[in-house]
Amino acid sequence: TQLLEQSPQFLSIQEGENLTVYCNSSSVFSSLQWYRQEPGEGPVLLVTVVTGGEVKKLKRLTFQFGDARKDSSLHITAAQPGDTGLYLCAALSNDYKLSFGAGTTVTVRA
Amino acid sequence: NAGVTQTPKFQVLKTGQSMTLQCAQDMNHEYMSWYRQDPGMGLRLIHYSVGAGITDQGEVPNGYNVSRSTTEDFPLRLLSAAPSQTSVYFCASSTRLEPDTQYFGPGTRLTVL
């Protein structure tokens, strides 16, 4: 059983459309991270959210941490082909182990 | 800085063979970790280290050994390769102050026949 559940597993949209990816857990976290991974490369950190209810923006990407710090979402506005990739959420446990969700594969068609 | 480097990039082994995946970082990070990535399962922690001389098991440690003799290097040893160890392996590092901000290497794609 995954500590972090991501949905959907796959998402294919047309350029210019919006999309939202979800990361849910029954556990409370002190922080949550979102990574993006492109084929043949390692994941790259996009953002860390720390405070319940926090919203962070990174250009067309909006990240939100749930009020109870158990869930998070990633929203992409006007998606572009360059947004294509695997999006992973991750959270640190009390013993400093980082757990990852299974990931959402996003494909943006031109 | 080269960041986190991993060698080799690709490797094919026969069942029962042993090998070492190399990982090095030049950022003076205290924490280093090994993950394996399989389709539909995200990244799973194999072993990790919070400093030279200190290692601990992650979620899927069986069949793997690690050591941390220096801050820079964290090799992963497969003792007797099995087809179930076919995967992509990633090494990552982070500072003690920000353990959740991990920097990943480019990965090693391992196939065990």
mmCIF file of all heavy atoms in Angstrom, chain A residues 3-4 7 10 12 25 29 34 39-42 45-46 48 55 58 60 73 79 86 90 101 108:
data_model
loop_
_atom_site.group_PDB
_atom_site.id
_atom_site.type_symbol
_atom_site.label_atom_id
_atom_site.label_comp_id
_atom_site.label_asym_id
_atom_site.label_seq_id
_atom_site.Cartn_x
_atom_site.Cartn_y
_atom_site.Cartn_z
ATOM 1 N N LEU A 3 1.951 5.011 0.622
ATOM 2 C CA LEU A 3 1.662 6.032 1.609
ATOM 3 C C LEU A 3 0.986 7.221 0.944
ATOM 4 O O LEU A 3 0.118 7.868 1.537
ATOM 5 C CB LEU A 3 2.976 6.447 2.264
ATOM 6 C CG LEU A 3 2.915 7.517 3.337
ATOM 7 C CD1 LEU A 3 2.128 7.006 4.531
ATOM 8 C CD2 LEU A 3 4.326 7.906 3.772
ATOM 9 N N LEU A 4 1.398 7.520 -0.275
ATOM 10 C CA LEU A 4 0.856 8.629 -1.045
ATOM 11 C C LEU A 4 0.166 8.075 -2.290
ATOM 12 O O LEU A 4 0.771 7.349 -3.065
ATOM 13 C CB LEU A 4 1.977 9.585 -1.460
ATOM 14 C CG LEU A 4 2.682 10.306 -0.318
ATOM 15 C CD1 LEU A 4 3.977 10.928 -0.813
ATOM 16 C CD2 LEU A 4 1.792 11.368 0.287
ATOM 17 N N SER A 7 -3.530 10.546 -8.303
ATOM 18 C CA SER A 7 -4.526 10.325 -9.346
ATOM 19 C C SER A 7 -4.606 11.548 -10.249
ATOM 20 O O SER A 7 -4.336 12.670 -9.814
ATOM 21 C CB SER A 7 -5.901 10.055 -8.706
ATOM 22 O OG SER A 7 -6.313 11.177 -7.953
ATOM 23 N N PHE A 10 -2.669 8.373 -15.496
ATOM 24 C CA PHE A 10 -2.312 8.912 -16.810
ATOM 25 C C PHE A 10 -3.255 10.060 -17.149
ATOM 26 O O PHE A 10 -4.425 10.032 -16.788
ATOM 27 C CB PHE A 10 -2.411 7.833 -17.903
ATOM 28 C CG PHE A 10 -1.509 6.659 -17.695
ATOM 29 C CD1 PHE A 10 -1.987 5.497 -17.110
ATOM 30 C CD2 PHE A 10 -0.182 6.712 -18.091
ATOM 31 C CE1 PHE A 10 -1.153 4.406 -16.918
ATOM 32 C CE2 PHE A 10 0.657 5.620 -17.894
ATOM 33 C CZ PHE A 10 0.169 4.469 -17.303
ATOM 34 N N SER A 12 -3.877 12.684 -20.640
ATOM 35 C CA SER A 12 -3.481 13.134 -21.973
ATOM 36 C C SER A 12 -4.416 14.261 -22.383
ATOM 37 O O SER A 12 -5.634 14.072 -22.403
ATOM 38 C CB SER A 12 -3.572 11.980 -22.975
ATOM 39 O OG SER A 12 -3.188 12.422 -24.277
ATOM 40 N N SER A 25 -3.238 11.240 1.089
ATOM 41 C CA SER A 25 -2.735 10.313 2.089
ATOM 42 C C SER A 25 -3.626 10.384 3.323
ATOM 43 O O SER A 25 -4.345 11.355 3.534
ATOM 44 C CB SER A 25 -1.302 10.661 2.463
ATOM 45 O OG SER A 25 -0.827 9.800 3.477
ATOM 46 N N PHE A 29 1.616 15.331 7.116
ATOM 47 C CA PHE A 29 3.020 15.569 6.803
ATOM 48 C C PHE A 29 3.433 16.980 7.194
ATOM 49 O O PHE A 29 2.651 17.913 7.121
ATOM 50 C CB PHE A 29 3.279 15.364 5.306
ATOM 51 C CG PHE A 29 2.964 13.980 4.835
ATOM 52 C CD1 PHE A 29 1.850 13.744 4.036
ATOM 53 C CD2 PHE A 29 3.762 12.909 5.207
ATOM 54 C CE1 PHE A 29 1.550 12.463 3.605
ATOM 55 C CE2 PHE A 29 3.464 11.624 4.778
ATOM 56 C CZ PHE A 29 2.353 11.404 3.977
ATOM 57 N N TRP A 34 6.735 18.235 -4.780
ATOM 58 C CA TRP A 34 6.367 17.806 -6.126
ATOM 59 C C TRP A 34 7.628 17.802 -6.988
ATOM 60 O O TRP A 34 8.400 18.775 -6.987
ATOM 61 C CB TRP A 34 5.329 18.743 -6.748
ATOM 62 C CG TRP A 34 3.954 18.565 -6.205
ATOM 63 C CD1 TRP A 34 3.365 19.258 -5.192
ATOM 64 C CD2 TRP A 34 2.981 17.621 -6.659
ATOM 65 N NE1 TRP A 34 2.077 18.800 -4.980
ATOM 66 C CE2 TRP A 34 1.822 17.804 -5.870
ATOM 67 C CE3 TRP A 34 2.960 16.642 -7.663
ATOM 68 C CZ2 TRP A 34 0.659 17.044 -6.048
ATOM 69 C CZ3 TRP A 34 1.812 15.892 -7.843
ATOM 70 C CH2 TRP A 34 0.673 16.090 -7.047
ATOM 71 N N PRO A 39 11.713 11.604 -19.473
ATOM 72 C CA PRO A 39 12.236 10.272 -19.854
ATOM 73 C C PRO A 39 13.760 10.224 -19.865
ATOM 74 O O PRO A 39 14.415 11.123 -20.392
ATOM 75 C CB PRO A 39 11.665 10.085 -21.259
ATOM 76 C CG PRO A 39 10.423 10.904 -21.280
ATOM 77 C CD PRO A 39 10.718 12.107 -20.435
ATOM 78 N N GLY A 40 14.321 9.195 -19.233
ATOM 79 C CA GLY A 40 15.765 9.008 -19.228
ATOM 80 C C GLY A 40 16.510 9.869 -18.237
ATOM 81 O O GLY A 40 17.753 9.857 -18.230
ATOM 82 N N GLU A 41 15.776 10.592 -17.383
ATOM 83 C CA GLU A 41 16.429 11.464 -16.414
ATOM 84 C C GLU A 41 15.899 11.196 -15.012
ATOM 85 O O GLU A 41 14.874 10.542 -14.829
ATOM 86 C CB GLU A 41 16.205 12.930 -16.791
ATOM 87 C CG GLU A 41 16.783 13.292 -18.148
ATOM 88 C CD GLU A 41 16.560 14.753 -18.482
ATOM 89 O OE1 GLU A 41 16.070 15.511 -17.619
ATOM 90 O OE2 GLU A 41 16.877 15.131 -19.625
ATOM 91 N N GLY A 42 16.606 11.756 -14.023
ATOM 92 C CA GLY A 42 16.131 11.647 -12.655
ATOM 93 C C GLY A 42 15.107 12.726 -12.355
ATOM 94 O O GLY A 42 15.013 13.731 -13.069
ATOM 95 N N LEU A 45 13.145 18.493 -8.408
ATOM 96 C CA LEU A 45 12.218 19.127 -7.485
ATOM 97 C C LEU A 45 11.598 20.381 -8.099
ATOM 98 O O LEU A 45 12.294 21.244 -8.633
ATOM 99 C CB LEU A 45 12.938 19.501 -6.190
ATOM 100 C CG LEU A 45 12.091 20.186 -5.119
ATOM 101 C CD1 LEU A 45 11.050 19.216 -4.562
ATOM 102 C CD2 LEU A 45 12.963 20.723 -3.994
ATOM 103 N N LEU A 46 10.261 20.467 -8.022
ATOM 104 C CA LEU A 46 9.552 21.659 -8.486
ATOM 105 C C LEU A 46 9.259 22.604 -7.325
ATOM 106 O O LEU A 46 9.499 23.807 -7.410
ATOM 107 C CB LEU A 46 8.229 21.267 -9.151
ATOM 108 C CG LEU A 46 8.328 20.470 -10.454
ATOM 109 C CD1 LEU A 46 6.921 20.031 -10.895
ATOM 110 C CD2 LEU A 46 9.003 21.289 -11.536
ATOM 111 N N THR A 48 8.254 22.748 -2.737
ATOM 112 C CA THR A 48 7.952 22.181 -1.424
ATOM 113 C C THR A 48 6.868 23.038 -0.785
ATOM 114 O O THR A 48 6.992 24.268 -0.756
ATOM 115 C CB THR A 48 9.188 22.157 -0.526
ATOM 116 O OG1 THR A 48 10.181 21.320 -1.103
ATOM 117 C CG2 THR A 48 8.845 21.622 0.857
ATOM 118 N N VAL A 55 -0.587 27.950 -0.904
ATOM 119 C CA VAL A 55 -0.633 27.912 -2.363
ATOM 120 C C VAL A 55 0.663 28.515 -2.885
ATOM 121 O O VAL A 55 1.058 29.609 -2.479
ATOM 122 C CB VAL A 55 -1.842 28.695 -2.919
ATOM 123 C CG1 VAL A 55 -1.799 28.713 -4.452
ATOM 124 C CG2 VAL A 55 -3.145 28.093 -2.431
ATOM 125 N N LEU A 58 4.309 28.549 -9.721
ATOM 126 C CA LEU A 58 5.545 28.472 -10.475
ATOM 127 C C LEU A 58 5.142 28.620 -11.935
ATOM 128 O O LEU A 58 4.792 27.653 -12.600
ATOM 129 C CB LEU A 58 6.224 27.123 -10.226
ATOM 130 C CG LEU A 58 7.645 26.921 -10.739
ATOM 131 C CD1 LEU A 58 8.602 27.821 -9.991
ATOM 132 C CD2 LEU A 58 8.067 25.463 -10.537
ATOM 133 N N ARG A 60 2.997 28.724 -14.806
ATOM 134 C CA ARG A 60 1.634 28.229 -15.052
ATOM 135 C C ARG A 60 1.261 27.065 -14.122
ATOM 136 O O ARG A 60 0.172 26.511 -14.253
ATOM 137 C CB ARG A 60 1.512 27.783 -16.505
ATOM 138 C CG ARG A 60 1.631 28.918 -17.526
ATOM 139 C CD ARG A 60 1.629 28.390 -18.951
ATOM 140 N NE ARG A 60 2.854 27.619 -19.200
ATOM 141 C CZ ARG A 60 2.906 26.329 -19.161
ATOM 142 N NH1 ARG A 60 1.826 25.602 -18.881
ATOM 143 N NH2 ARG A 60 4.053 25.690 -19.388
ATOM 144 N N SER A 73 -2.458 19.252 -4.388
ATOM 145 C CA SER A 73 -2.821 19.215 -5.799
ATOM 146 C C SER A 73 -1.864 20.070 -6.600
ATOM 147 O O SER A 73 -1.247 21.012 -6.094
ATOM 148 C CB SER A 73 -4.259 19.698 -5.999
ATOM 149 O OG SER A 73 -4.375 21.051 -5.616
ATOM 150 N N ALA A 79 -1.789 24.195 -20.573
ATOM 151 C CA ALA A 79 -0.655 23.280 -20.697
ATOM 152 C C ALA A 79 0.016 23.362 -22.064
ATOM 153 O O ALA A 79 -0.639 23.615 -23.088
ATOM 154 C CB ALA A 79 -1.112 21.853 -20.431
ATOM 155 N N LEU A 86 6.492 12.941 -16.077
ATOM 156 C CA LEU A 86 5.948 12.207 -14.942
ATOM 157 C C LEU A 86 6.013 13.125 -13.729
ATOM 158 O O LEU A 86 7.083 13.624 -13.376
ATOM 159 C CB LEU A 86 6.773 10.936 -14.699
ATOM 160 C CG LEU A 86 6.387 10.082 -13.489
ATOM 161 C CD1 LEU A 86 5.006 9.461 -13.683
ATOM 162 C CD2 LEU A 86 7.423 8.981 -13.270
ATOM 163 N N ALA A 90 5.910 13.645 -3.076
ATOM 164 C CA ALA A 90 6.758 12.963 -2.099
ATOM 165 C C ALA A 90 6.614 13.638 -0.745
ATOM 166 O O ALA A 90 6.307 14.829 -0.663
ATOM 167 C CB ALA A 90 8.221 12.984 -2.546
ATOM 168 N N GLY A 101 4.760 8.997 -4.272
ATOM 169 C CA GLY A 101 3.583 8.434 -4.896
ATOM 170 C C GLY A 101 3.995 7.714 -6.174
ATOM 171 O O GLY A 101 5.131 7.820 -6.624
ATOM 172 N N VAL A 108 0.975 16.197 -23.115
ATOM 173 C CA VAL A 108 0.320 17.353 -23.710
ATOM 174 C C VAL A 108 0.567 17.315 -25.218
ATOM 175 O O VAL A 108 1.691 17.419 -25.681
ATOM 176 C CB VAL A 108 0.850 18.677 -23.121
ATOM 177 C CG1 VAL A 108 0.086 19.848 -23.723
ATOM 178 C CG2 VAL A 108 0.728 18.670 -21.599
#
